[in-house]
């Protein structure tokens, strides 16, 4: 494994971390549209909190996918073709939730407004759930042949562990979204979001315990890398507790950062467990390794130069755009006064 | 076994064609409209005439719909290389992935961030800064076209690479060669001019429909003027870049050129150009021909000849069938032939309508309001750019059959070995239903925006009650209660 290959493995991890941190609360807000907000006025506000941002957040996924294609074509090809139907359903979910924000505002009947609100909520939930399911089933090991093709059966994709993973990730995203709402709103919405996350955190913690048990039973993470795996899991639990504390103590920022970091710890856990592989095969001889999966040194070198030139500029205006919309949105009741 | 293999390939190809064509309804429209809106807002900044601000907001709203659909269908594009064409991805990742990743990094972040800023900050920044946001969006979308076309151009004309035979893949040896690919610099201007043309004629056509109802005359006549000027220039640019591109094909992809012109036997010095023809089994059955036009179009002179498909096929067989393959290199001639004619004839029509429209719509005249037949024609032409864009891609993509990467990888070798007919059937049907509904919603919403008219414009939020919040920036609303 060369340094460049290692760097790109880490960069893919960084891009997916960025995606889950940002799109995580996007998904959560999407779910909140129908599962949390009580009436149309509240839903207006809830959607407006991510109005200027959802599109840019989704670009993190496109960038992660593109970067994976460029730096690890063998990984991209195996993963994307092997998870054909899962990714197809993710795409359908992303399509519905993506257009829903734009379309909903201009529907003239309540039926259609409801339809697009449900599209936002169910689409966001399904996308988060399926991403969780996909990554969790991936680390259990898949039936990969010598050419890197996955010929999996239903239970390779859908099993107890992957279902728990899906639920855990979508719940985490939902709470992350509620924490974002606490940051961006005032009054009743903010108070209720805080109340909800206080209640939901114990549920999430229980889910994390089940997750760790299943991780222990079905993956080689604990035998191959016990120290790092345990450290990351402890970090995950600490972040969860910190966010919970933030919900109790009305520390909106602490909760939001902590829930974001818990999502990132999940990504780190997966990438740490994968290393030095990118895809884990049931037959370990067929596992796809970082050293075999990458592009040529020329392309990696090129991509490194370009990424380290462009990404800092992107980050500057990306963060600036959040700063522009820093202000809180009023809760509907307060707005009418 | 064979028939199953073939239909899996066919279904994968159908899926790619369907998603790409649908995606490409919105891409050129968004690119072009971003520029038109940017120009409108710039005129507002310079002239300080509120009508141009309303124009930017109003057409900007339709732009936002198109942009949203373009984004969500774009993700399908990126994913399906891996999902449906995994062997292609393994073969090409070294070269194809890089422009794709740069497209996301350099272009998608730019356009998505600044469109968000543009949408929600009409009253928060000074005019010039706000106008800069839409220009950056437009610039980002153009940049994205450049990168994805760089990737496509490699598939049409591979340069700057070396074969890694052991691992059966291509490797990049020169990034600058990939970027300086002549194919790219023929393709890119044509796509961009096409994008301007698309948006210009949609705006002009929608304005024409509203003028037929005598609605907001000043507003729509100004919209029409701006868009027709852009449309006329774009039409000239399209013809020029189309001509360069076609003549480039004569040597670079002679089969594509011969099929576009329907030439089977080598052409004679007389240069007969088929206006229309029937074909069967690589033979012309009938044709309407005009002498010398072929030479004028292809060689810009009265003399010269062109290779027919029969000879090109022989040459390609000699070049590529070295290991005893029996493959032929004919492409779907009828599709290419008619696509080219639709494109060329439409170009003439666009130019003519733009000139007449600008004349009727001149400042001191009322003729545009009296010539109702002309407004009908222009209104109907809203749909034509989308057909023409599709034709252009039909020529480009069908014209490299049987290759997916010209001379290096065939389409049959590119498909995912893991795909199944059942899953492809399922996904094709669902995609089709989704695209049909999205298309319908797009049309209904755009129509509704047009009917509501420029007085009700709000581009500043996702409120379900536009009339209530249209005057207020939602982020300003919360300002008072900031803690």
């Amino acid at each position: 494994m060369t340094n460049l290959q290692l760097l790109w493995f880490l960069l893919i991890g960084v891009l997916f971390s960025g995606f889950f941190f940002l799109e995580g609360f996007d998904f959560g807000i999407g779910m909140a549209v129908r599962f949390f907000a009580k009436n149309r006025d509240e839903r207006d506000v809830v959607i407006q909190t991510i109005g200027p941002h959802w599109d840019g957040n989704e670009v993190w996924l496109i960038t992660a996918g593109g970067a994976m294609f460029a730096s690890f074509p063998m990984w991209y090809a195996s993963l994307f073709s092997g998870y054909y139907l899962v990714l197809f359903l993710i795409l359908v979910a992303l399509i519905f939730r993506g257009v829903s924000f734009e379309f909903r505002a201009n529907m003239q009947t309540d039926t259609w407004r409801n339809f697009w609100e449900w599209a936002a909520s169910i689409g966001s939930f399904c996308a988060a759930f399926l991403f969780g399911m996909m990554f969790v089933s991936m680390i259990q090991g898949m039936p990969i042949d010598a050419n890197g093709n996955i010929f999996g059966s239903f239970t390779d994709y859908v099993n107890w562990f992957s279902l728990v993973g899906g639920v855990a990730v979508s719940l985490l995203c939902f709470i992350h979204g509620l924490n974002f709402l606490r940051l961006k709103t005032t009054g009743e919405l903010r108070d209720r979001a805080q109340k909800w996350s206080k209640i939901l955190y114990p549920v999430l913690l229980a889910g994390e315990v089940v997750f760790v048990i299943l991780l222990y039973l079905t993956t080689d993470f604990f035998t191959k890398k016990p120290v790092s795996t345990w450290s990351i899991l402890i970090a995950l639990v600490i972040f969860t507790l910190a966010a919970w504390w933030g919900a109790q103590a009305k520390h909106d920022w602490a909760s939001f950062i902590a829930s974001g970091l818990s999502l990132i710890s999940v990504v780190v856990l997966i990438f740490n467990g994968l290393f030095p592989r990118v895809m884990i095969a049931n037959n370990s001889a067929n596992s796809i390794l970082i050293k075999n999966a990458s592009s040529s040194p020329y392309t990696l070198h090129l991509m490194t130069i370009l990424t380290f030139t462009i990404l800092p500029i992107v980050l500057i205006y990306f963060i600036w755009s959040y700063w522009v919309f820093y202000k809180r949105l009023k809760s509907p009741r307060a707005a009418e006064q | 076994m064979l028939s199953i293999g073939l239909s899996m390939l066919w279904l994968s190809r159908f899926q790619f064609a369907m998603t790409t064509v649908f995606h490409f309804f919105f891409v050129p429209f968004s690119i072009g409209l971003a520029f038109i809106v940017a120009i409108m807002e710039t005129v507002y900044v310079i002239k300080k005439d509120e009508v141009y601000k309303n124009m930017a907001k109003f057409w900007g709203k339709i732009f936002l719909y198109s942009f949203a659909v373009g984004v969500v269908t774009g993700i399908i594009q990126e994913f399906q290389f891996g999902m449906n064409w995994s062997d292609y991805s393994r073969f090409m990742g070294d070269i194809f992935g890089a422009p794709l990743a740069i497209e996301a990094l350099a272009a998608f972040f730019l356009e998505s961030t600044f469109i968000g800023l543009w949408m929600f900050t009409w009253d928060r920044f000074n005019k010039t800064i706000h106008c800069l946001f839409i220009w950056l969006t437009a610039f980002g979308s153009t940049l994205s076209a450049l990168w994805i076309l760089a990737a496509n151009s490699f598939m049409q004309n591979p340069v700057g690479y070396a074969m890694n035979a052991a691992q059966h893949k291509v490797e990049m040896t020169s990034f600058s060669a990939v970027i300086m690919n002549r194919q790219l610099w023929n393709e890119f201007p044509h796509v961009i001019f096409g994008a301007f043309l698309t948006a210009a004629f949609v705006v002009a056509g929608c304005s024409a429909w509203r003028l037929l109802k005598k609605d907001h005359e000043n507003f729509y006549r100004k919209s029409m003027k701006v868009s027709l000027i852009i449309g006329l220039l774009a039409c000239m640019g399209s013809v020029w870049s189309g001509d360069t591109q076609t003549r480039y094909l004569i040597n670079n992809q002679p089969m594509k050129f011969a099929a576009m012109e329907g030439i089977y036997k080598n052409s004679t010095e007389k240069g007969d150009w088929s206006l229309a023809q029937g074909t069967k089994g690589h033979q012309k059955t009938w044709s309407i021909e005009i002498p010398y036009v072929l030479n004028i179009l292809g060689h810009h002179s009265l003399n010269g000849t062109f290779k027919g498909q029969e000879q090109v096929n022989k040459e390609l067989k000699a070049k590529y069938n070295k290991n005893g393959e029996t493959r032929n290199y004919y492409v779907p001639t009828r599709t290419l032939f008619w696509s080219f004619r639709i494109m060329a004839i439409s170009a003439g029509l666009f130019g003519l309508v733009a000139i007449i429209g600008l004349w009727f719509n001149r400042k001191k005249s009322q003729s545009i309001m009296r010539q109702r037949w002309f407004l009908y024609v222009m209104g109907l032409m809203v749909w034509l750019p989308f057909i023409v864009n599709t034709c252009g891609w039909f020529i480009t993509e069908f014209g490299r059959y049987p290759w997916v990467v010209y001379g290096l990888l065939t389409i049959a070798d590119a498909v995912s070995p893991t795909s199944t007919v059942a899953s492809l059937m399922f996904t094709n049907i669902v995609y089709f239903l989704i695209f049909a509904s999205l298309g319908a919603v797009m049309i209904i919403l755009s129509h509704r925006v047009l009917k509501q008219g420029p007085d009700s414009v709000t581009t500043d939020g996702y409120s379900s009650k536009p009339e209530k919040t249209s005057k207020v920036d939602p982020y300003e609303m919360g300002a008072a209660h900031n803690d």
Side-chain angles (χ1 to χ4, degrees):
Chain A
M1 193 191 314
T2 64
N3 287 337
L4 273 179
Q5 287 172 323
L6 177 63
L7 174 70
W8 274 94
F9 181 73
L10 296 175
L11 275 176
I12 303 291
V14 169
L15 290 170
F16 271 106
S17 301
F19 168 68
F20 276 105
F21 187 100
L22 297 162
E23 191 88 340
F25 68 73
D26 254 22
F27 287 154
I29 292 287
M31 290 182 232
V33 170
R34 266 335 280 214
F35 303 145
F36 173 76
K38 278 181 176 162
N39 52 47
R40 193 129 281 138
D41 292 331
E42 285 194 1
R43 286 176 207 129
D44 280 354
V45 177
V46 167
I47 293 179
Q48 267 162 14
T49 59
I50 56 163
H53 305 303
W54 73 266
D55 210 351
N57 294 347
E58 201 149 294
V59 175
W60 283 84
L61 173 67
I62 303 176
T63 309
M68 192 192 253
F69 195 174
S71 55
F72 295 102
M74 309 300 153
W75 186 9
Y76 168 81
S78 294
L79 178 69
F80 279 61
S81 64
Y83 281 84
Y84 186 78
L85 282 178
V86 178
L87 281 166
F88 167 75
L89 295 174
I90 288 177
L91 286 173
V92 172
L94 289 178
I95 290 172
F96 272 102
R97 75 175 285 279
V99 295
S100 69
F101 307 126
E102 212 69 63
F103 286 178
R104 169 190 170 274
N106 294 284
M107 292 293 134
Q108 285 172 331
T109 61
D110 276 344
T111 320
W112 280 107
R113 267 185 219 121
N114 288 341
F115 175 84
W116 289 112
E117 284 164 2
W118 281 110
S121 285
I122 296 174
S124 300
F125 168 75
C126 287
F129 178 83
L130 290 164
F131 269 119
M133 204 180 87
M134 178 171 105
F135 281 110
V136 168
S137 86
M138 191 178 115
I139 56 174
Q140 295 177 71
M142 291 297 280
I144 304 176
D145 72 7
N147 298 320
N149 292 314
I150 300 174
F151 292 95
S153 59
F154 183 73
T155 51
D156 288 314
Y157 303 100
V158 183
N159 50 53
W160 284 112
F161 188 28
S162 70
L163 289 175
V164 168
V167 171
V169 169
S170 40
L171 183 59
L172 198 46
C173 287
F174 184 48
I175 303 179
H176 192 37
L178 291 178
N179 291 340
F180 186 70
L181 265 188
R182 286 166 56 198
L183 271 186
K184 298 291 287 187
T185 56
T186 56
E188 206 197 311
L189 270 177
R190 182 184 175 189
D191 294 341
R192 189 142 40 88
Q194 185 199 352
K195 214 167 82 192
W196 277 49
S197 57
K198 261 197 293 195
I199 298 165
L200 284 172
Y201 267 112
V203 182
L204 181 67
L205 273 170
E208 283 173 6
V209 172
V210 179
F211 182 84
V212 173
I213 295 168
L214 288 166
L215 187 74
Y216 183 80
L217 293 174
T218 51
T219 67
D220 57 13
F221 283 21
F222 290 92
T223 49
K224 291 212 163 164
K225 300 185 196 75
V227 179
S228 54
T229 303
W230 275 117
S231 320
I232 298 163
L233 285 173
I234 289 167
L236 172 65
V237 173
I238 290 175
F239 290 136
T240 312
L241 290 170
W244 193 15
W245 169 80
Q248 313 261 12
K250 297 204 173 189
H251 262 290
D252 300 343
W253 268 104
S255 288
F256 176 69
I257 297 291
S259 58
L261 287 175
S262 3
L263 273 164
I264 291 180
S265 352
V266 176
V267 178
V268 174
L269 177 78
I270 289 166
F271 274 70
N272 176 66
L274 284 175
F275 185 85
R277 305 159 289 188
V278 288
M279 290 293 280
I280 304 172
N282 293 338
N283 169 3
S284 62
N286 287 341
S287 285
I288 305 172
L289 306 177
I290 294 176
K291 63 176 178 189
N292 302 332
S294 86
S295 295
S296 65
Y298 182 92
T299 297
L300 288 181
H301 192 73
L302 170 81
M303 287 301 299
T304 308
I305 295 171
L306 287 168
T307 305
F308 281 92
T309 321
I310 303 171
L311 194 59
I313 302 169
V314 170
L315 285 176
I316 290 170
Y317 66 69
F318 197 83
I319 293 168
W320 178 70
S321 82
Y322 274 85
W323 182 77
V324 167
F325 298 107
Y326 174 73
K327 285 169 184 164
R328 286 175 189 273
L329 294 156
K330 264 190 190 175
S331 269
R333 192 168 300 166
E336 276 161 24
Q337 284 161 8
Chain B
M1 215 25 224
L2 184 69
S3 71
I4 290 171
L6 278 177
S7 66
M8 185 184 94
L9 181 62
W10 191 88
L11 286 167
S12 302
R13 292 182 68 198
F14 182 81
Q15 184 157 101
F16 196 89
M18 177 171 63
T19 47
T20 312
V21 165
F22 188 72
H23 179 58
F24 206 76
F25 286 155
F26 301 97
V27 172
F29 184 49
S30 302
I31 294 177
L33 203 50
F35 273 95
I36 291 180
V37 171
I39 289 167
M40 287 168 173
E41 197 175 341
T42 309
V43 175
Y44 163 64
V45 170
I46 295 167
K47 281 193 174 175
K48 301 191 176 54
D49 181 351
E50 285 282 324
V51 75
Y52 286 99
K53 181 184 181 181
N54 288 338
M55 270 158 73
K57 275 195 169 188
F58 180 73
W59 298 108
K61 191 158 181 169
I62 293 177
F63 166 74
L64 291 172
Y65 294 140
S66 167
F67 187 78
V69 180
V71 169
V72 294
T73 51
I75 308 178
I76 305 179
Q77 292 302 316
E78 192 201 48
F79 278 24
Q80 76 176 327
F81 295 112
M83 289 166 70
N84 287 342
W85 305 94
S86 61
D87 277 352
Y88 167 84
S89 304
R90 292 189 177 100
F91 182 83
M92 274 284 279
D94 208 83
I95 292 165
F96 196 82
L100 217 60
I102 301 167
E103 183 189 17
L105 210 53
F108 289 158
F109 273 123
L110 193 67
E111 46 178 336
S112 61
T113 307
F114 284 98
I115 193 61
L117 282 162
W118 183 79
M119 250 171 108
F120 288 90
T121 59
W122 276 95
D123 303 315
R124 294 192 47 193
F125 287 95
N126 83 40
K127 289 184 194 117
T128 319
I129 304 267
H130 189 266
C131 185
L132 187 68
F133 293 160
I134 189 72
W135 277 109
L136 284 169
T137 308
F139 176 68
S141 62
T142 313
L143 210 56
S144 82
L146 177 69
W147 288 109
I148 195 63
L149 291 176
N152 178 268
S153 295
F154 185 90
M155 295 163 74
Q156 302 286 344
N157 179 41
V159 287
Y161 72 98
M163 267 305 275
N164 180 337
Q167 291 177 41
H168 187 58
K169 61 176 193 175
V170 287
E171 288 180 350
M172 201 191 294
T173 56
S174 165
F175 182 61
S176 56
V178 171
I179 295 306
M180 298 314 292
N181 193 343
R182 260 196 71 193
Q183 171 76 28
L184 172 62
W185 294 101
N186 282 310
E187 224 174 276
F188 177 63
H190 197 58
V191 166
I192 291 300
F193 284 126
F196 291 164
L197 190 142
T198 304
F201 277 89
V202 173
V203 171
C206 292
S207 304
W209 283 121
R210 295 320 294 174
L211 288 178
L212 276 170
K213 309 228 155 143
K214 306 228 175 342
D215 177 31
H216 287 85
E217 232 176 87
N218 180 36
F219 179 88
Y220 286 113
R221 280 189 64 173
K222 280 202 167 116
S223 295
M224 187 182 274
K225 187 177 163 193
V226 172
S227 59
L228 283 184
I229 292 172
I230 296 167
L232 183 61
L233 294 172
C235 181
M236 286 166 7
S238 296
V239 172
W240 164 74
S241 56
D243 173 65
T244 341
Q245 195 176 3
T246 313
R247 285 188 299 126
Y248 167 75
L249 288 177
I250 297 170
N251 294 317
N252 195 260
Q253 290 185 358
M255 185 58 95
K256 193 184 271 178
F257 178 80
M260 278 163 73
E261 294 296 9
I263 314 169
Y264 288 101
K265 310 262 186 238
N266 292 349
S267 77
T268 60
E269 281 285 339
K270 216 177 117 207
D272 289 328
W273 184 74
S274 295
L275 180 67
Q277 69 176 30
T279 58
K280 202 175 182 185
H282 308 305
Q283 295 288 335
K284 237 185 268 189
T285 48
W286 58 269
S287 63
I288 305 167
E289 291 178 343
I290 312 169
Y292 296 113
V293 173
L294 185 61
N295 288 344
I296 294 169
L297 287 175
H299 289 312
H300 287 193
S301 109
L302 288 177
N303 310 310
T305 55
F306 296 94
K307 283 182 207 161
Q309 290 183 55
E310 279 174 22
Q311 191 188 331
V312 178
N313 188 42
K314 252 182 242 158
E315 288 173 9
L316 291 176
K317 274 170 121 172
K319 192 171 172 190
Y320 295 118
N321 291 4
K322 282 186 181 136
N323 303 321
E325 294 101 331
T326 51
R327 204 162 45 209
N328 274 311
Y329 293 89
Y330 288 112
V331 297
T333 305
R334 228 171 312 180
T335 310
L336 268 70
F337 178 85
W338 287 109
S339 295
F340 185 60
R341 264 133 205 85
I342 292 172
M343 227 170 28
I345 293 165
S346 307
L349 205 59
F350 285 130
L352 198 66
V353 167
I355 291 168
I356 299 174
L358 283 170
W359 173 250
F360 280 167
N361 194 26
R362 68 194 185 280
K363 222 175 196 166
K364 302 236 166 70
S365 154
Q366 278 297 319
S367 21
I368 193 81
M369 302 308 289
R370 286 194 301 269
Q371 308 293 340
R372 292 179 67 82
W373 64 273
F374 181 75
L375 290 176
Y376 275 112
V377 170
M378 201 138 88
L380 285 174
M381 274 175 68
V382 162
W383 307 105
L384 192 56
F386 299 99
I387 299 170
V388 176
N389 289 332
T390 308
C391 287
W393 279 112
F394 274 4
I395 295 174
T396 310
E397 302 298 280
F398 279 117
R400 62 167 152 69
Y401 190 83
W403 302 108
V404 63
V405 187
Y406 210 88
L408 300 177
L409 188 74
T410 63
I411 298 170
D413 289 334
V415 75
S416 294
T418 45
S419 292
T420 60
V421 172
S423 64
L424 279 166
M425 279 299 285
F426 171 68
T427 54
N428 267 318
I429 291 168
V430 177
Y431 276 143
F432 181 82
L433 293 176
I434 290 179
F435 292 163
S437 341
L438 283 185
V441 176
M442 266 298 295
I443 292 168
I444 292 168
L445 280 181
S446 307
H447 185 241
R448 189 174 292 163
V449 172
L450 281 175
K451 251 172 84 179
Q452 285 165 353
D455 297 333
S456 68
V457 278
T458 156
T459 46
D460 54 5
Y462 287 124
S463 170
S464 57
K465 285 175 288 188
E467 69 282 0
K468 193 175 143 197
T469 46
S470 61
K471 300 286 182 292
V472 192
D473 174 348
Y475 284 88
E476 241 4 70
M477 268 163 51
H481 281 245
N482 187 25
D483 59 345

